[in-house]
Coordinates of all heavy atoms in Angstrom, one line a residue:
M1 N 166.3 21.6 185.5 CA 164.9 22.0 185.3 C 164.0 20.8 185.7 O 164.3 19.7 185.3 CB 164.7 22.4 183.9 CG 163.3 22.6 183.5 SD 163.0 22.9 181.7 CE 164.5 23.7 181.2
T2 N 163.0 21.1 186.5 CA 162.1 20.0 186.8 C 161.2 19.7 185.6 O 160.8 20.6 184.9 CB 161.3 20.4 188.0 OG1 160.4 21.5 187.7 CG2 162.1 20.8 189.2
S3 N 160.9 18.4 185.5 CA 160.1 18.0 184.4 C 158.6 18.6 184.6 O 157.9 18.9 183.6 CB 160.1 16.5 184.2 OG 159.5 15.9 185.3
Q4 N 158.2 18.7 185.8 CA 156.9 19.2 186.1 C 156.8 20.7 185.7 O 155.8 21.0 185.1 CB 156.6 19.1 187.6 CG 155.2 19.5 188.0 CD 154.9 19.2 189.4 OE1 155.8 19.2 190.3 NE2 153.6 19.1 189.8
A5 N 157.8 21.5 185.9 CA 157.7 22.9 185.5 C 157.8 23.0 184.0 O 157.0 23.7 183.4 CB 158.9 23.7 186.1
R6 N 158.6 22.1 183.4 CA 158.7 22.1 181.9 C 157.4 21.7 181.3 O 156.9 22.3 180.3 CB 159.9 21.2 181.5 CG 160.1 21.1 180.0 CD 161.2 20.2 179.6 NE 161.0 18.9 180.1 CZ 161.9 18.2 180.9 NH1 163.0 18.8 181.3 NH2 161.6 17.0 181.2
E7 N 156.8 20.6 181.7 CA 155.6 20.1 181.2 C 154.5 21.1 181.4 O 153.6 21.3 180.5 CB 155.2 18.8 181.9 CG 156.2 17.6 181.5 CD 156.1 17.2 180.1 OE1 155.0 17.2 179.5 OE2 157.2 16.8 179.5
G8 N 154.4 21.7 182.6 CA 153.3 22.7 182.9 C 153.4 23.9 182.0 O 152.4 24.4 181.5
A9 N 154.6 24.4 181.8 CA 154.8 25.6 180.9 C 154.5 25.3 179.5 O 153.8 26.1 178.8 CB 156.3 26.1 181.0
C10 N 154.8 24.1 179.0 CA 154.5 23.7 177.6 C 153.0 23.5 177.5 O 152.4 24.0 176.5 CB 155.3 22.5 177.2 SG 157.0 22.7 177.0
A11 N 152.4 22.9 178.4 CA 150.9 22.7 178.4 C 150.2 24.0 178.4 O 149.2 24.2 177.6 CB 150.5 21.8 179.5
F12 N 150.6 24.9 179.2 CA 150.0 26.2 179.3 C 150.1 26.9 177.9 O 149.1 27.4 177.4 CB 150.7 27.1 180.4 CG 150.3 28.5 180.3 CD1 149.1 28.9 180.9 CD2 151.1 29.5 179.7 CE1 148.7 30.3 180.9 CE2 150.7 30.8 179.6 CZ 149.5 31.2 180.2
A13 N 151.3 27.0 177.4 CA 151.5 27.7 176.1 C 150.8 27.0 175.0 O 150.2 27.7 174.1 CB 153.0 27.7 175.8
W14 N 150.8 25.7 174.9 CA 150.1 25.0 173.8 C 148.6 25.2 173.9 O 147.9 25.4 172.9 CB 150.5 23.5 173.8 CG 150.0 22.8 172.6 CD1 149.0 21.9 172.5 CD2 150.3 23.1 171.2 NE1 148.8 21.5 171.2 CE2 149.6 22.3 170.4 CE3 151.2 24.0 170.6 CZ2 149.7 22.3 169.0 CZ3 151.3 24.0 169.3 CH2 150.6 23.1 168.5
R15 N 148.0 25.1 175.1 CA 146.5 25.3 175.3 C 146.1 26.7 174.8 O 145.1 26.8 174.0 CB 146.1 25.1 176.7 CG 145.9 23.7 177.1 CD 145.2 23.6 178.5 NE 145.8 24.4 179.5 CZ 146.7 24.0 180.3 NH1 147.2 22.8 180.2 NH2 147.2 24.8 181.2
N16 N 146.9 27.7 175.2 CA 146.6 29.0 174.7 C 146.8 29.2 173.2 O 146.0 29.9 172.6 CB 147.4 30.0 175.5 CG 146.9 30.2 176.9 OD1 145.8 30.7 177.1 ND2 147.7 29.8 177.9
Y17 N 147.8 28.6 172.7 CA 148.0 28.6 171.3 C 146.8 28.0 170.5 O 146.4 28.6 169.5 CB 149.3 27.9 170.9 CG 149.8 28.0 169.5 CD1 150.4 29.2 169.1 CD2 149.5 27.0 168.6 CE1 150.8 29.3 167.8 CE2 149.9 27.2 167.3 CZ 150.5 28.3 166.9 OH 150.9 28.5 165.5
L18 N 146.4 26.9 171.0 CA 145.2 26.3 170.3 C 143.9 27.1 170.4 O 143.1 27.1 169.5 CB 145.0 24.9 170.9 CG 146.0 23.8 170.6 CD1 145.6 22.5 171.3 CD2 146.2 23.6 169.1
L19 N 143.8 27.8 171.5 CA 142.6 28.7 171.7 C 142.7 29.8 170.6 O 141.6 30.3 170.2 CB 142.6 29.3 173.1 CG 142.2 28.3 174.2 CD1 142.3 29.0 175.5 CD2 140.7 27.8 174.0
L20 N 143.9 30.3 170.3 CA 144.0 31.4 169.4 C 144.1 31.0 167.9 O 143.8 31.8 167.1 CB 145.3 32.2 169.7 CG 145.3 32.9 171.1 CD1 146.7 33.5 171.4 CD2 144.3 34.0 171.1
H21 N 144.4 29.7 167.7 CA 144.5 29.3 166.3 C 143.7 28.0 166.1 O 144.1 26.9 166.3 CB 146.0 28.9 166.1 CG 146.9 30.1 166.3 ND1 147.5 30.4 167.5 CD2 147.4 31.0 165.4 CE1 148.2 31.5 167.3 NE2 148.2 31.8 166.1
S22 N 142.4 28.3 165.7 CA 141.5 27.1 165.5 C 142.0 26.4 164.3 O 142.6 26.9 163.3 CB 140.1 27.6 165.3 OG 140.0 28.5 164.2
G23 N 141.7 25.1 164.2 CA 142.0 24.3 163.1 C 143.4 23.6 163.2 O 143.8 22.9 162.3
I24 N 144.1 23.9 164.2 CA 145.4 23.3 164.4 C 145.3 22.0 165.1 O 144.6 21.9 166.2 CB 146.4 24.2 165.0 CG1 146.7 25.4 164.1 CG2 147.7 23.5 165.4 CD1 147.7 26.4 164.7
S25 N 145.9 20.9 164.7 CA 145.8 19.6 165.3 C 146.6 19.6 166.6 O 147.6 20.3 166.8 CB 146.5 18.6 164.4 OG 146.7 17.4 165.1
E26 N 146.1 18.9 167.6 CA 146.7 18.7 168.9 C 148.2 18.2 168.7 O 149.1 18.5 169.5 CB 145.9 17.7 169.8 CG 146.5 17.5 171.1 CD 146.3 18.7 172.1 OE1 145.4 19.5 171.9 OE2 147.2 18.8 173.0
N27 N 148.4 17.4 167.6 CA 149.7 16.8 167.4 C 150.5 17.5 166.3 O 151.3 16.9 165.6 CB 149.5 15.3 167.0 CG 149.0 14.5 168.1 OD1 149.3 14.7 169.3 ND2 148.0 13.7 167.9
D28 N 150.3 18.8 166.2 CA 151.0 19.6 165.2 C 152.5 19.6 165.5 O 152.9 19.5 166.7 CB 150.4 21.1 165.2 CG 151.0 21.9 164.1 OD1 150.3 21.9 163.1 OD2 152.0 22.6 164.3
N29 N 153.3 19.8 164.5 CA 154.7 19.8 164.7 C 155.2 20.9 165.6 O 156.2 20.8 166.2 CB 155.4 19.9 163.3 CG 155.4 18.6 162.5 OD1 155.2 17.5 163.1 ND2 155.5 18.7 161.2
R30 N 154.5 22.0 165.6 CA 154.9 23.1 166.5 C 154.8 22.7 168.0 O 155.6 23.2 168.8 CB 153.9 24.3 166.3 CG 154.2 25.0 165.0 CD 153.2 26.0 164.7 NE 152.1 25.3 164.1 CZ 151.3 25.8 163.1 NH1 151.4 27.0 162.7 NH2 150.3 25.0 162.6
R31 N 153.9 21.8 168.3 CA 153.9 21.3 169.7 C 155.2 20.6 170.1 O 155.8 20.8 171.1 CB 152.7 20.4 169.9 CG 152.6 19.9 171.3 CD 151.4 19.0 171.5 NE 151.3 18.6 172.9 CZ 150.4 17.6 173.3 NH1 149.6 17.0 172.4 NH2 150.4 17.3 174.5
F32 N 155.6 19.7 169.2 CA 156.9 19.0 169.5 C 158.1 19.9 169.5 O 159.0 19.8 170.2 CB 157.0 17.9 168.5 CG 155.9 16.9 168.6 CD1 154.9 16.9 167.5 CD2 155.7 16.1 169.7 CE1 153.8 16.0 167.6 CE2 154.6 15.2 169.8 CZ 153.6 15.2 168.7
A33 N 158.1 20.9 168.6 CA 159.2 21.9 168.6 C 159.2 22.7 169.9 O 160.2 23.0 170.4 CB 159.0 22.8 167.3
L34 N 158.0 23.0 170.4 CA 157.9 23.8 171.6 C 158.5 23.0 172.8 O 159.3 23.5 173.5 CB 156.4 24.1 171.9 CG 156.1 24.6 173.4 CD1 156.7 25.9 173.6 CD2 154.6 24.6 173.6
Y35 N 158.1 21.7 172.9 CA 158.7 20.9 174.0 C 160.2 20.7 173.8 O 160.9 20.8 174.8 CB 158.0 19.5 173.9 CG 156.7 19.5 174.7 CD1 155.6 19.9 174.1 CD2 156.6 19.0 176.0 CE1 154.3 19.9 174.7 CE2 155.4 19.0 176.6 CZ 154.3 19.4 176.0 OH 153.1 19.4 176.7
H36 N 160.7 20.6 172.6 CA 162.1 20.5 172.4 C 162.8 21.8 172.8 O 163.9 21.8 173.4 CB 162.4 20.2 170.9 CG 163.8 19.8 170.6 ND1 164.7 20.7 170.1 CD2 164.5 18.7 170.9 CE1 165.9 20.1 170.0 NE2 165.8 18.9 170.4
Y37 N 162.2 23.0 172.5 CA 162.8 24.2 172.8 C 162.9 24.4 174.3 O 163.9 24.7 174.9 CB 162.0 25.4 172.2 CG 162.4 26.7 172.8 CD1 163.7 27.3 172.5 CD2 161.6 27.4 173.7 CE1 164.0 28.5 173.1 CE2 162.0 28.6 174.2 CZ 163.2 29.2 173.9 OH 163.6 30.3 174.5
V38 N 161.8 24.2 175.0 CA 161.7 24.3 176.5 C 162.7 23.4 177.2 O 163.4 23.7 178.1 CB 160.3 24.2 177.0 CG1 160.3 24.3 178.5 CG2 159.5 25.4 176.5
A39 N 162.7 22.1 176.7 CA 163.6 21.1 177.3 C 165.1 21.6 177.1 O 165.9 21.2 177.9 CB 163.4 19.8 176.6
G40 N 165.4 22.3 176.1 CA 166.8 22.8 175.9 C 167.2 24.0 176.6 O 168.4 24.4 176.5
L41 N 166.3 24.6 177.3 CA 166.7 25.9 178.0 C 167.6 25.5 179.1 O 167.5 24.6 179.9 CB 165.4 26.5 178.6 CG 164.5 27.2 177.6 CD1 163.2 27.7 178.3 CD2 165.2 28.3 176.9
R42 N 168.7 26.3 179.2 CA 169.7 26.2 180.3 C 169.9 27.5 180.9 O 169.8 28.6 180.3 CB 171.0 25.6 179.7 CG 170.8 24.3 179.1 CD 170.7 23.2 180.2 NE 170.7 21.9 179.6 CZ 169.5 21.2 179.4 NH1 168.4 21.7 179.7 NH2 169.6 20.0 178.8
G43 N 170.4 27.5 182.1 CA 170.8 28.8 182.7 C 169.9 29.3 183.8 O 169.0 28.5 184.2
A44 N 170.0 30.5 184.2 CA 169.2 31.1 185.2 C 167.8 31.1 184.9 O 167.3 31.3 183.8 CB 169.7 32.5 185.5
G45 N 167.0 30.8 185.9 CA 165.5 30.8 185.7 C 164.9 29.6 185.2 O 163.7 29.5 184.9
E46 N 165.7 28.5 185.0 CA 165.2 27.3 184.3 C 164.2 26.5 185.2 O 163.5 25.7 184.6 CB 166.3 26.4 183.8 CG 167.1 25.8 184.9 CD 168.3 25.0 184.3 OE1 168.7 25.2 183.2 OE2 168.9 24.2 185.1
D47 N 164.2 26.8 186.5 CA 163.2 26.2 187.3 C 162.0 27.1 187.6 O 161.1 26.7 188.4 CB 163.8 25.7 188.6 CG 164.8 24.6 188.4 OD1 164.5 23.7 187.5 OD2 165.8 24.5 189.1
D48 N 162.0 28.3 187.1 CA 161.0 29.3 187.4 C 159.8 29.0 186.4 O 160.0 29.3 185.2 CB 161.6 30.7 187.2 CG 160.6 31.7 187.7 OD1 159.4 31.7 187.3 OD2 161.1 32.7 188.3
F49 N 158.7 28.6 186.9 CA 157.6 28.2 186.1 C 157.1 29.4 185.3 O 156.8 29.3 184.1 CB 156.4 27.7 187.0 CG 155.2 27.3 186.2 CD1 155.2 26.2 185.3 CD2 154.0 28.0 186.4 CE1 154.1 25.9 184.6 CE2 152.9 27.6 185.7 CZ 152.9 26.6 184.8
D50 N 157.1 30.6 185.9 CA 156.6 31.8 185.2 C 157.5 32.1 184.0 O 157.1 32.5 182.9 CB 156.5 33.0 186.1 CG 155.5 32.9 187.2 OD1 154.5 32.2 186.9 OD2 155.6 33.5 188.3
L51 N 158.8 32.1 184.2 CA 159.8 32.3 183.1 C 159.7 31.3 182.0 O 159.8 31.6 180.8 CB 161.2 32.4 183.7 CG 161.5 33.6 184.5 CD1 163.0 33.5 185.0 CD2 161.4 34.9 183.7
L52 N 159.5 30.0 182.4 CA 159.3 29.0 181.4 C 158.0 29.2 180.6 O 158.0 29.0 179.3 CB 159.2 27.6 182.1 CG 160.5 27.1 182.7 CD1 160.3 25.8 183.4 CD2 161.6 26.9 181.6
Q53 N 157.0 29.7 181.2 CA 155.7 30.0 180.4 C 156.0 31.2 179.5 O 155.6 31.1 178.3 CB 154.6 30.5 181.4 CG 154.0 29.3 182.2 CD 152.9 29.8 183.1 OE1 153.0 30.9 183.7 NE2 151.9 29.1 183.2
I54 N 156.7 32.2 179.9 CA 157.0 33.3 179.0 C 157.8 32.8 177.8 O 157.5 33.2 176.7 CB 157.7 34.4 179.8 CG1 156.8 35.1 180.8 CG2 158.4 35.5 178.9 CD1 157.5 36.0 181.8
A55 N 158.8 32.0 178.1 CA 159.7 31.5 177.0 C 158.9 30.7 176.1 O 159.0 30.8 174.8 CB 160.9 30.7 177.6
A56 N 158.0 29.8 176.6 CA 157.2 28.9 175.7 C 156.3 29.7 174.8 O 156.2 29.5 173.6 CB 156.4 28.0 176.6
V57 N 155.6 30.7 175.4 CA 154.6 31.5 174.6 C 155.4 32.4 173.6 O 155.0 32.5 172.4 CB 153.8 32.4 175.5 CG1 153.0 33.4 174.7 CG2 152.8 31.5 176.4
A58 N 156.5 32.9 174.0 CA 157.3 33.7 173.1 C 157.8 32.9 171.9 O 157.8 33.3 170.8 CB 158.5 34.4 173.8
Y59 N 158.3 31.7 172.2 CA 158.8 30.8 171.2 C 157.7 30.5 170.1 O 157.9 30.6 168.9 CB 159.3 29.5 171.8 CG 159.6 28.5 170.7 CD1 160.8 28.6 169.9 CD2 158.8 27.4 170.4 CE1 161.1 27.7 168.9 CE2 159.1 26.5 169.4 CZ 160.2 26.7 168.7 OH 160.5 25.8 167.7
L60 N 156.5 30.2 170.6 CA 155.4 29.9 169.6 C 155.0 31.1 168.8 O 154.8 31.0 167.6 CB 154.2 29.4 170.4 CG 154.2 27.9 170.9 CD1 153.0 27.6 171.7 CD2 154.4 26.9 169.7
N61 N 155.0 32.3 169.5 CA 154.7 33.5 168.7 C 155.7 33.8 167.7 O 155.4 34.2 166.5 CB 154.6 34.7 169.7 CG 153.3 34.6 170.5 OD1 152.3 34.0 170.1 ND2 153.3 35.3 171.7
K62 N 157.0 33.7 168.0 CA 158.1 33.9 167.1 C 158.2 32.9 166.0 O 158.5 33.2 164.9 CB 159.4 34.0 167.8 CG 159.5 35.3 168.7 CD 159.3 36.5 167.9 CE 159.4 37.8 168.7 NZ 159.3 39.0 167.9
L63 N 157.8 31.7 166.3 CA 157.8 30.6 165.3 C 156.8 30.9 164.2 O 157.0 30.8 163.0 CB 157.5 29.3 165.9 CG 157.7 28.0 165.1 CD1 159.1 27.9 164.5 CD2 157.3 26.8 165.8
D64 N 155.6 31.4 164.7 CA 154.6 31.8 163.7 C 155.0 33.1 162.9 O 154.8 33.1 161.7 CB 153.3 32.2 164.4 CG 152.4 30.9 164.6 OD1 152.7 29.9 164.1 OD2 151.4 31.1 165.3
E65 N 155.7 34.0 163.6 CA 156.1 35.2 162.9 C 157.2 35.0 162.0 O 157.2 35.6 160.8 CB 156.5 36.2 164.0 CG 156.9 37.6 163.5 CD 157.4 38.5 164.7 OE1 156.9 38.4 165.8 OE2 158.4 39.2 164.4
L66 N 158.2 34.2 162.4 CA 159.5 34.1 161.6 C 159.5 32.9 160.7 O 160.4 32.8 159.8 CB 160.7 34.1 162.6 CG 160.8 35.4 163.5 CD1 161.8 35.2 164.5 CD2 161.0 36.6 162.6
H67 N 158.7 31.9 161.0 CA 158.6 30.7 160.2 C 160.0 29.9 160.1 O 160.3 29.3 159.1 CB 158.1 30.9 158.8 CG 156.8 31.6 158.7 ND1 155.6 31.0 159.1 CD2 156.5 32.9 158.4 CE1 154.7 31.8 159.0 NE2 155.1 33.0 158.6
D68 N 160.8 30.1 161.2 CA 162.1 29.4 161.2 C 162.4 29.1 162.7 O 162.4 30.0 163.5 CB 163.2 30.4 160.7 CG 164.5 29.8 160.7 OD1 164.8 28.9 159.8 OD2 165.3 30.1 161.6
D69 N 162.7 27.8 162.9 CA 162.9 27.4 164.3 C 164.1 28.1 164.9 O 164.0 28.5 166.1 CB 163.1 25.8 164.3 CG 163.3 25.3 165.7 OD1 162.4 25.4 166.6 OD2 164.5 24.9 166.0
R70 N 165.2 28.1 164.2 CA 166.4 28.7 164.8 C 166.2 30.2 165.1 O 166.6 30.6 166.2 CB 167.6 28.6 163.8 CG 168.9 29.1 164.4 CD 170.0 28.6 163.5 NE 171.3 29.1 164.1 CZ 172.0 30.1 163.6 NH1 171.6 30.7 162.5 NH2 173.1 30.4 164.1
C71 N 165.6 30.9 164.3 CA 165.3 32.3 164.5 C 164.3 32.5 165.7 O 164.4 33.4 166.5 CB 164.8 33.0 163.3 SG 166.0 33.2 162.0
A72 N 163.3 31.6 165.7 CA 162.3 31.7 166.8 C 163.0 31.4 168.2 O 162.7 32.1 169.2 CB 161.2 30.7 166.6
R73 N 163.9 30.5 168.2 CA 164.7 30.2 169.4 C 165.5 31.4 169.9 O 165.5 31.7 171.1 CB 165.6 29.0 169.2 CG 164.9 27.7 169.1 CD 165.9 26.6 168.7 NE 165.2 25.3 168.7 CZ 165.2 24.4 169.7 NH1 165.8 24.7 170.8 NH2 164.6 23.3 169.6
L74 N 166.2 32.0 168.9 CA 167.0 33.1 169.3 C 166.1 34.3 169.8 O 166.5 34.9 170.8 CB 167.8 33.6 168.1 CG 168.9 32.6 167.7 CD1 169.5 33.1 166.3 CD2 170.0 32.5 168.7
A75 N 165.0 34.6 169.1 CA 164.1 35.6 169.6 C 163.5 35.4 170.9 O 163.5 36.3 171.8 CB 163.0 35.8 168.5
A76 N 163.1 34.1 171.2 CA 162.5 33.8 172.5 C 163.6 33.8 173.6 O 163.3 34.3 174.7 CB 161.9 32.4 172.4
D77 N 164.8 33.4 173.2 CA 165.9 33.5 174.2 C 166.2 35.0 174.6 O 166.5 35.3 175.7 CB 167.2 32.9 173.6 CG 167.1 31.4 173.6 OD1 166.2 30.8 174.2 OD2 168.0 30.8 172.9
Q78 N 166.1 35.9 173.6 CA 166.3 37.3 173.9 C 165.2 37.8 174.8 O 165.5 38.6 175.7 CB 166.3 38.1 172.6 CG 167.6 37.9 171.8 CD 167.6 38.6 170.5 OE1 166.5 39.0 170.0 NE2 168.8 38.8 169.9
I79 N 164.0 37.4 174.6 CA 162.9 37.8 175.4 C 163.1 37.3 176.9 O 162.9 38.0 177.8 CB 161.5 37.4 174.9 CG1 161.2 38.2 173.6 CG2 160.4 37.5 175.9 CD1 160.1 37.6 172.7
L80 N 163.5 36.0 177.0 CA 163.7 35.4 178.3 C 164.9 36.1 179.0 O 164.8 36.4 180.2 CB 164.0 33.9 178.1 CG 164.3 33.1 179.4 CD1 163.1 33.2 180.3 CD2 164.6 31.7 179.0
A81 N 165.9 36.5 178.3 CA 167.0 37.2 178.9 C 166.6 38.6 179.4 O 167.0 39.0 180.5 CB 168.2 37.4 177.8
G82 N 165.7 39.2 178.6 CA 165.2 40.5 179.1 C 164.4 40.4 180.4 O 164.5 41.2 181.3
C83 N 163.6 39.3 180.5 CA 162.8 39.1 181.7 C 163.8 38.8 182.9 O 163.5 39.3 184.0 CB 161.9 37.9 181.5 SG 160.5 38.2 180.4
L84 N 164.8 38.0 182.6 CA 165.8 37.7 183.7 C 166.5 39.0 184.2 O 166.7 39.2 185.3 CB 166.8 36.7 183.2 CG 166.3 35.2 183.1 CD1 167.3 34.4 182.4 CD2 166.0 34.7 184.5
E85 N 166.8 39.8 183.2 CA 167.5 41.1 183.5 C 166.7 42.0 184.3 O 167.1 42.6 185.3 CB 168.0 41.8 182.2 CG 168.9 43.0 182.5 CD 169.3 43.6 181.1 OE1 169.9 42.8 180.4 OE2 169.1 44.8 180.9
S86 N 165.4 42.1 184.0 CA 164.5 43.0 184.7 C 164.2 42.5 186.1 O 163.9 43.3 187.0 CB 163.2 43.1 183.9 OG 162.4 41.9 184.0
R87 N 164.4 41.2 186.4 CA 164.2 40.6 187.7 C 165.5 40.8 188.6 O 165.4 40.7 189.8 CB 163.9 39.2 187.7 CG 162.5 38.9 187.2 CD 162.2 37.4 187.2 NE 160.8 37.2 187.0 CZ 160.3 36.0 187.3 NH1 161.0 35.0 187.8 NH2 159.0 35.8 187.0
S88 N 166.6 41.1 188.0 CA 167.9 41.2 188.7 C 167.9 42.5 189.5 O 167.4 43.5 189.0 CB 169.1 41.1 187.8 OG 169.1 39.9 187.1
P89 N 168.4 42.5 190.7 CA 168.6 43.8 191.4 C 169.5 44.7 190.6 O 170.5 44.3 190.1 CB 169.2 43.4 192.7 CG 169.1 41.9 192.9 CD 168.9 41.4 191.5
Q90 N 169.1 46.0 190.6 CA 169.9 47.0 189.9 C 171.1 47.4 190.7 O 171.0 47.4 191.9 CB 169.1 48.2 189.5 CG 167.9 47.9 188.6 CD 168.3 47.3 187.3 OE1 169.2 47.7 186.7 NE2 167.6 46.2 186.9
P91 N 172.3 47.7 190.1 CA 173.4 48.1 190.8 C 173.1 49.3 191.7 O 172.4 50.2 191.2 CB 174.4 48.5 189.8 CG 174.0 47.8 188.6 CD 172.5 47.6 188.7
G92 N 173.6 49.3 192.9 CA 173.3 50.4 193.8 C 172.0 50.4 194.6 O 171.8 51.2 195.4
T93 N 171.2 49.3 194.4 CA 170.0 49.2 195.1 C 170.2 48.2 196.3 O 171.0 47.3 196.2 CB 168.8 48.7 194.3 OG1 169.1 47.4 193.7 CG2 168.5 49.7 193.2
Q94 N 169.5 48.5 197.3 CA 169.6 47.6 198.5 C 168.5 46.6 198.5 O 167.4 46.8 198.0 CB 169.5 48.4 199.8 CG 170.7 49.3 199.9 CD 170.6 50.1 201.3 OE1 169.6 50.1 201.9 NE2 171.7 50.7 201.6
L95 N 168.8 45.4 198.9 CA 167.8 44.3 199.0 C 167.1 44.3 200.3 O 167.5 44.7 201.3 CB 168.5 42.9 198.8 CG 169.1 42.7 197.4 CD1 169.8 41.4 197.4 CD2 168.1 42.8 196.3

């Protein structure tokens, strides 16, 4: 994963998060958790800026919803896997 793609995806997700949640500090622990999550992504699509953005936003949303880092990671990973699956050519289709 390129650090530029990772940094850009995290910055995008965090800016949008701050726009939706007033009163949160720029240095909130969720920001550091977000960077840690995105840095830990492995596998297909890890260089795809759009997929990294989706994963980053999904992680922050799930972290707020579930109030648990591990559960938020799992939920965001499932969303990312669904995005990857929908991008894959379907069996029997021609490219």
Side-chain angles (χ1 to χ4, degrees):
M1 172 186 327
T2 66
S3 64
Q4 188 175 20
R6 180 179 60 236
E7 293 291 325
C10 288
F12 169 83
W14 188 247
R15 277 191 311 270
N16 284 297
Y17 187 81
L18 290 178
L19 288 172
L20 295 172
H21 300 87
S22 62
I24 293 179
S25 167
E26 181 71 29
N27 295 319
D28 188 89
N29 288 337
R30 286 169 279 213
R31 180 180 184 190
F32 301 108
L34 168 67
Y35 277 79
H36 190 259
Y37 169 70
V38 173
L41 289 175
R42 299 285 183 261
E46 65 185 18
D47 290 326
D48 187 317
F49 182 67
D50 294 333
L51 288 176
L52 291 174
Q53 285 180 323
I54 291 168
V57 169
Y59 172 76
L60 285 173
N61 287 337
K62 291 300 180 179
L63 189 58
D64 274 353
E65 179 184 327
L66 302 171
H67 305 288
D68 180 75
D69 180 67
R70 185 168 182 252
C71 292
R73 287 171 178 267
L74 291 172
D77 287 347
Q78 289 175 340
I79 291 168
L80 182 57
C83 290
L84 286 168
E85 187 177 305
S86 70
R87 287 184 170 195
S88 299
Q90 299 301 315
T93 60
Q94 294 180 349
L95 298 176

